[in-house]
Amino acid sequence: MTPPSGLRERKKQATREALREAALRLAVERGPDQVRVEDIAEAAGVSPRTYNNYFTSREQAIVSAVTADREARIAAAIAARPVGVRLADAVTEAVAEQYAHTGERGERALLLITTRTALREAFLDSTTGIEPPLTTVLAERLGDSGAPTARVLSASVAAAVRIALEGWLAPPEGGEAAESVAGGLVVPSGSLPDRLRAALAPLAPAFDAAEGAAQP
């Protein structure tokens, strides 16, 4: 008998959570380079084939431990803003808040991300996950049933976030990546919330125009 769709989705979500938790734990214990996909799958109690249904690499699974559910939280934060709040401000602050507050698990994952190029690239690639939930909430706010405007704005937000993260993780201009005295970790430069706000600022006129067009 095929399980109901709700139960099936809960099982899939539980498997995804088990895989990303296992990936982060093993990476912290052994170091990212000493963790194989097979190790993560075994620790989560699934097969490598099942693993590949959820993540395409070990880096993606590790990064997911810090980015997990962030996209949904951003959308929820925007939806929770009062209607009178300027949409550009609601989006900017929701993004800045969610990227600034990662929690203890997120902090551990970020420490790993700063040490490996492949992990940093996976972290940057994860920004595209913002688009689907953000498109949904923007379409609701704008009354954009066809969602072309919401999709364009969401894609622009994802691009702006990636640009901010690239600058935050980049080596200082004209020099090698900064290193901490313990462990040789790359030190992200500047305030990430400030970088995010600066990267999103050019999108404000587009948000204002879309919001104005949606007014009755």
Short mmCIF file of all heavy atoms in Angstrom, two decimals, residues 114-158:
data_model
loop_
_atom_site.label_atom_id
_atom_site.label_comp_id
_atom_site.label_asym_id
_atom_site.label_seq_id
_atom_site.Cartn_x
_atom_site.Cartn_y
_atom_site.Cartn_z
N THR A 114 34.36 27.85 6.09
CA THR A 114 35.44 28.80 5.83
C THR A 114 36.78 28.13 5.57
O THR A 114 37.74 28.79 5.17
CB THR A 114 35.60 29.79 7.00
OG1 THR A 114 35.86 29.06 8.20
CG2 THR A 114 34.35 30.63 7.16
N THR A 115 36.86 26.80 5.80
CA THR A 115 38.15 26.13 5.64
C THR A 115 38.33 25.42 4.31
O THR A 115 39.43 24.98 4.00
CB THR A 115 38.37 25.08 6.75
OG1 THR A 115 37.42 24.00 6.58
CG2 THR A 115 38.18 25.69 8.13
N ARG A 116 37.27 25.26 3.53
CA ARG A 116 37.35 24.46 2.30
C ARG A 116 36.68 25.18 1.14
O ARG A 116 35.54 25.64 1.25
CB ARG A 116 36.66 23.09 2.49
CG ARG A 116 37.24 22.22 3.58
CD ARG A 116 38.65 21.74 3.25
NE ARG A 116 39.10 20.72 4.19
CZ ARG A 116 39.59 20.97 5.39
NH1 ARG A 116 39.66 22.21 5.82
NH2 ARG A 116 40.00 19.98 6.16
N THR A 117 37.39 25.25 0.01
CA THR A 117 36.84 25.90 -1.17
C THR A 117 35.55 25.24 -1.62
O THR A 117 34.57 25.92 -1.96
CB THR A 117 37.86 25.87 -2.32
OG1 THR A 117 39.04 26.58 -1.92
CG2 THR A 117 37.29 26.52 -3.57
N ALA A 118 35.52 23.91 -1.65
CA ALA A 118 34.33 23.20 -2.11
C ALA A 118 33.13 23.50 -1.22
O ALA A 118 31.99 23.62 -1.71
CB ALA A 118 34.59 21.70 -2.17
N LEU A 119 33.36 23.62 0.08
CA LEU A 119 32.26 23.94 0.99
C LEU A 119 31.79 25.37 0.78
O LEU A 119 30.58 25.65 0.83
CB LEU A 119 32.70 23.74 2.44
CG LEU A 119 32.81 22.30 2.92
CD1 LEU A 119 33.44 22.23 4.31
CD2 LEU A 119 31.43 21.63 2.94
N ARG A 120 32.71 26.29 0.55
CA ARG A 120 32.31 27.67 0.31
C ARG A 120 31.48 27.77 -0.97
O ARG A 120 30.49 28.51 -1.04
CB ARG A 120 33.53 28.59 0.24
CG ARG A 120 34.24 28.75 1.59
CD ARG A 120 35.19 29.92 1.59
NE ARG A 120 36.33 29.74 0.72
CZ ARG A 120 37.46 29.15 1.08
NH1 ARG A 120 37.59 28.66 2.30
NH2 ARG A 120 38.46 29.04 0.23
N GLU A 121 31.88 27.02 -2.00
CA GLU A 121 31.12 27.04 -3.25
C GLU A 121 29.73 26.47 -3.06
O GLU A 121 28.75 27.00 -3.60
CB GLU A 121 31.88 26.26 -4.33
CG GLU A 121 33.16 26.97 -4.79
CD GLU A 121 33.97 26.13 -5.76
OE1 GLU A 121 33.63 24.94 -5.94
OE2 GLU A 121 34.94 26.67 -6.33
N ALA A 122 29.61 25.39 -2.29
CA ALA A 122 28.30 24.82 -2.02
C ALA A 122 27.43 25.79 -1.21
O ALA A 122 26.22 25.87 -1.42
CB ALA A 122 28.45 23.50 -1.27
N PHE A 123 28.06 26.50 -0.30
CA PHE A 123 27.35 27.50 0.50
C PHE A 123 26.80 28.60 -0.39
O PHE A 123 25.64 29.03 -0.25
CB PHE A 123 28.31 28.07 1.54
CG PHE A 123 27.68 29.03 2.51
CD1 PHE A 123 26.60 28.66 3.29
CD2 PHE A 123 28.20 30.31 2.66
CE1 PHE A 123 26.02 29.54 4.19
CE2 PHE A 123 27.64 31.20 3.56
CZ PHE A 123 26.55 30.82 4.33
N LEU A 124 27.60 29.06 -1.35
CA LEU A 124 27.15 30.09 -2.28
C LEU A 124 26.03 29.57 -3.18
O LEU A 124 25.05 30.26 -3.44
CB LEU A 124 28.33 30.59 -3.13
CG LEU A 124 29.42 31.34 -2.37
CD1 LEU A 124 30.60 31.63 -3.30
CD2 LEU A 124 28.89 32.64 -1.79
N ASP A 125 26.18 28.34 -3.63
CA ASP A 125 25.15 27.76 -4.51
C ASP A 125 23.81 27.60 -3.80
O ASP A 125 22.75 27.60 -4.45
CB ASP A 125 25.61 26.39 -5.03
CG ASP A 125 26.74 26.49 -6.05
OD1 ASP A 125 26.95 27.60 -6.60
OD2 ASP A 125 27.41 25.48 -6.29
N SER A 126 23.84 27.48 -2.48
CA SER A 126 22.61 27.26 -1.73
C SER A 126 21.68 28.47 -1.77
O SER A 126 20.49 28.35 -1.42
CB SER A 126 22.93 26.91 -0.27
OG SER A 126 23.40 28.06 0.44
N THR A 127 22.17 29.62 -2.20
CA THR A 127 21.33 30.83 -2.22
C THR A 127 20.14 30.69 -3.17
O THR A 127 19.12 31.36 -2.98
CB THR A 127 22.14 32.07 -2.61
OG1 THR A 127 22.76 31.86 -3.89
CG2 THR A 127 23.23 32.36 -1.58
N THR A 128 20.24 29.82 -4.17
CA THR A 128 19.12 29.66 -5.10
C THR A 128 17.89 29.07 -4.41
O THR A 128 16.77 29.22 -4.90
CB THR A 128 19.50 28.76 -6.29
OG1 THR A 128 19.90 27.47 -5.79
CG2 THR A 128 20.64 29.37 -7.08
N GLY A 129 18.10 28.43 -3.27
CA GLY A 129 16.98 27.86 -2.53
C GLY A 129 16.03 28.91 -1.98
O GLY A 129 14.90 28.60 -1.57
N ILE A 130 16.47 30.17 -1.95
CA ILE A 130 15.61 31.26 -1.48
C ILE A 130 14.42 31.47 -2.41
O ILE A 130 13.33 31.85 -1.99
CB ILE A 130 16.42 32.57 -1.39
CG1 ILE A 130 17.51 32.47 -0.31
CG2 ILE A 130 15.52 33.77 -1.11
CD1 ILE A 130 18.47 33.64 -0.33
N GLU A 131 14.62 31.22 -3.70
CA GLU A 131 13.65 31.65 -4.72
C GLU A 131 12.24 31.06 -4.57
O GLU A 131 11.27 31.83 -4.57
CB GLU A 131 14.21 31.37 -6.11
CG GLU A 131 15.44 32.20 -6.45
CD GLU A 131 15.93 31.95 -7.86
OE1 GLU A 131 15.08 31.76 -8.75
OE2 GLU A 131 17.16 31.94 -8.06
N PRO A 132 12.05 29.73 -4.47
CA PRO A 132 10.67 29.21 -4.47
C PRO A 132 9.79 29.74 -3.33
O PRO A 132 8.70 30.27 -3.60
CB PRO A 132 10.88 27.69 -4.39
CG PRO A 132 12.24 27.47 -4.99
CD PRO A 132 13.05 28.64 -4.54
N PRO A 133 10.23 29.64 -2.05
CA PRO A 133 9.35 30.16 -0.99
C PRO A 133 9.18 31.67 -1.04
O PRO A 133 8.11 32.19 -0.71
CB PRO A 133 10.04 29.71 0.31
CG PRO A 133 11.46 29.47 -0.07
CD PRO A 133 11.45 29.02 -1.48
N LEU A 134 10.23 32.39 -1.47
CA LEU A 134 10.13 33.84 -1.56
C LEU A 134 9.17 34.24 -2.68
O LEU A 134 8.39 35.18 -2.54
CB LEU A 134 11.51 34.45 -1.81
CG LEU A 134 11.58 35.98 -1.84
CD1 LEU A 134 10.99 36.58 -0.57
CD2 LEU A 134 13.03 36.45 -2.02
N THR A 135 9.20 33.52 -3.79
CA THR A 135 8.26 33.78 -4.88
C THR A 135 6.82 33.64 -4.39
O THR A 135 5.96 34.47 -4.70
CB THR A 135 8.51 32.82 -6.06
OG1 THR A 135 9.79 33.07 -6.61
CG2 THR A 135 7.45 33.00 -7.14
N THR A 136 6.56 32.61 -3.61
CA THR A 136 5.21 32.37 -3.11
C THR A 136 4.72 33.52 -2.23
O THR A 136 3.62 34.04 -2.41
CB THR A 136 5.15 31.06 -2.32
OG1 THR A 136 5.50 29.98 -3.20
CG2 THR A 136 3.77 30.82 -1.75
N VAL A 137 5.56 33.94 -1.28
CA VAL A 137 5.11 34.99 -0.36
C VAL A 137 5.03 36.34 -1.06
O VAL A 137 4.12 37.14 -0.78
CB VAL A 137 6.04 35.05 0.88
CG1 VAL A 137 7.39 35.68 0.56
CG2 VAL A 137 5.36 35.83 2.01
N LEU A 138 5.91 36.61 -2.01
CA LEU A 138 5.83 37.87 -2.74
C LEU A 138 4.60 37.90 -3.64
O LEU A 138 3.94 38.94 -3.78
CB LEU A 138 7.09 38.08 -3.58
CG LEU A 138 8.38 38.36 -2.81
CD1 LEU A 138 9.55 38.58 -3.78
CD2 LEU A 138 8.23 39.56 -1.90
N ALA A 139 4.28 36.78 -4.26
CA ALA A 139 3.08 36.72 -5.11
C ALA A 139 1.84 37.01 -4.28
O ALA A 139 0.91 37.69 -4.74
CB ALA A 139 2.99 35.36 -5.78
N GLU A 140 1.81 36.52 -3.05
CA GLU A 140 0.67 36.78 -2.18
C GLU A 140 0.60 38.26 -1.80
O GLU A 140 -0.48 38.86 -1.79
CB GLU A 140 0.77 35.92 -0.92
CG GLU A 140 0.58 34.43 -1.18
CD GLU A 140 0.85 33.58 0.04
OE1 GLU A 140 1.29 34.16 1.07
OE2 GLU A 140 0.64 32.35 -0.02
N ARG A 141 1.74 38.84 -1.49
CA ARG A 141 1.76 40.25 -1.08
C ARG A 141 1.41 41.18 -2.25
O ARG A 141 0.81 42.23 -2.06
CB ARG A 141 3.13 40.62 -0.53
CG ARG A 141 3.45 40.06 0.84
CD ARG A 141 2.65 40.76 1.94
NE ARG A 141 2.96 42.17 2.05
CZ ARG A 141 3.85 42.68 2.91
NH1 ARG A 141 4.52 41.87 3.73
NH2 ARG A 141 4.05 43.97 2.98
N LEU A 142 1.81 40.78 -3.46
CA LEU A 142 1.62 41.65 -4.63
C LEU A 142 0.35 41.33 -5.39
O LEU A 142 0.02 42.04 -6.35
CB LEU A 142 2.83 41.50 -5.56
CG LEU A 142 4.18 41.93 -5.00
CD1 LEU A 142 5.30 41.59 -5.97
CD2 LEU A 142 4.19 43.44 -4.70
N GLY A 143 -0.36 40.27 -4.99
CA GLY A 143 -1.53 39.87 -5.76
C GLY A 143 -1.14 39.46 -7.16
O GLY A 143 -1.88 39.66 -8.13
N ASP A 144 0.04 38.87 -7.27
CA ASP A 144 0.63 38.52 -8.58
C ASP A 144 0.34 37.04 -8.87
O ASP A 144 1.18 36.17 -8.68
CB ASP A 144 2.14 38.77 -8.51
CG ASP A 144 2.84 38.56 -9.84
OD1 ASP A 144 2.17 38.56 -10.88
OD2 ASP A 144 4.07 38.38 -9.82
N SER A 145 -0.90 36.77 -9.31
CA SER A 145 -1.31 35.38 -9.47
C SER A 145 -0.46 34.61 -10.48
O SER A 145 -0.20 33.42 -10.32
CB SER A 145 -2.79 35.31 -9.89
OG SER A 145 -2.99 36.02 -11.10
N GLY A 146 -0.01 35.27 -11.54
CA GLY A 146 0.84 34.62 -12.53
C GLY A 146 2.28 34.51 -12.07
O GLY A 146 3.06 33.72 -12.61
N ALA A 147 2.64 35.32 -11.07
CA ALA A 147 3.94 35.31 -10.39
C ALA A 147 5.15 35.69 -11.22
O ALA A 147 6.26 35.46 -10.77
CB ALA A 147 4.19 33.95 -9.74
N PRO A 148 5.03 36.33 -12.41
CA PRO A 148 6.26 36.69 -13.11
C PRO A 148 7.06 37.76 -12.36
O PRO A 148 8.29 37.68 -12.26
CB PRO A 148 5.77 37.21 -14.47
CG PRO A 148 4.36 37.60 -14.24
CD PRO A 148 3.83 36.65 -13.22
N THR A 149 6.36 38.75 -11.81
CA THR A 149 7.07 39.80 -11.06
C THR A 149 7.70 39.22 -9.81
O THR A 149 8.86 39.51 -9.49
CB THR A 149 6.10 40.93 -10.68
OG1 THR A 149 5.55 41.51 -11.88
CG2 THR A 149 6.83 42.01 -9.89
N ALA A 150 6.94 38.40 -9.11
CA ALA A 150 7.47 37.78 -7.88
C ALA A 150 8.67 36.90 -8.18
O ALA A 150 9.66 36.90 -7.43
CB ALA A 150 6.37 36.95 -7.21
N ARG A 151 8.65 36.18 -9.29
CA ARG A 151 9.78 35.31 -9.65
C ARG A 151 11.01 36.13 -9.96
O ARG A 151 12.13 35.79 -9.55
CB ARG A 151 9.41 34.43 -10.84
CG ARG A 151 8.42 33.32 -10.52
CD ARG A 151 8.13 32.48 -11.73
NE ARG A 151 9.33 31.81 -12.23
CZ ARG A 151 9.39 31.17 -13.40
NH1 ARG A 151 8.33 31.12 -14.19
NH2 ARG A 151 10.51 30.57 -13.75
N VAL A 152 10.84 37.22 -10.71
CA VAL A 152 11.98 38.07 -11.06
C VAL A 152 12.58 38.69 -9.80
O VAL A 152 13.81 38.71 -9.63
CB VAL A 152 11.56 39.16 -12.06
CG1 VAL A 152 12.68 40.19 -12.23
CG2 VAL A 152 11.21 38.54 -13.41
N LEU A 153 11.72 39.19 -8.92
CA LEU A 153 12.23 39.80 -7.69
C LEU A 153 12.93 38.77 -6.81
O LEU A 153 13.99 39.05 -6.23
CB LEU A 153 11.07 40.44 -6.92
CG LEU A 153 10.46 41.69 -7.55
CD1 LEU A 153 9.21 42.11 -6.78
CD2 LEU A 153 11.47 42.84 -7.58
N SER A 154 12.37 37.57 -6.73
CA SER A 154 12.99 36.52 -5.91
C SER A 154 14.36 36.12 -6.46
O SER A 154 15.31 35.94 -5.69
CB SER A 154 12.08 35.29 -5.86
OG SER A 154 10.86 35.61 -5.24
N ALA A 155 14.44 35.97 -7.77
CA ALA A 155 15.73 35.63 -8.39
C ALA A 155 16.75 36.73 -8.15
O ALA A 155 17.95 36.46 -7.93
CB ALA A 155 15.55 35.38 -9.88
N SER A 156 16.30 37.97 -8.17
CA SER A 156 17.19 39.10 -7.93
C SER A 156 17.69 39.11 -6.49
O SER A 156 18.86 39.42 -6.22
CB SER A 156 16.47 40.42 -8.25
OG SER A 156 16.06 40.46 -9.60
N VAL A 157 16.81 38.78 -5.55
CA VAL A 157 17.21 38.70 -4.15
C VAL A 157 18.26 37.60 -3.97
O VAL A 157 19.28 37.81 -3.30
CB VAL A 157 15.99 38.42 -3.25
CG1 VAL A 157 16.44 38.05 -1.84
CG2 VAL A 157 15.08 39.63 -3.21
N ALA A 158 18.03 36.44 -4.58
CA ALA A 158 19.00 35.35 -4.47
C ALA A 158 20.36 35.76 -5.02
O ALA A 158 21.40 35.44 -4.44
CB ALA A 158 18.48 34.11 -5.20
#
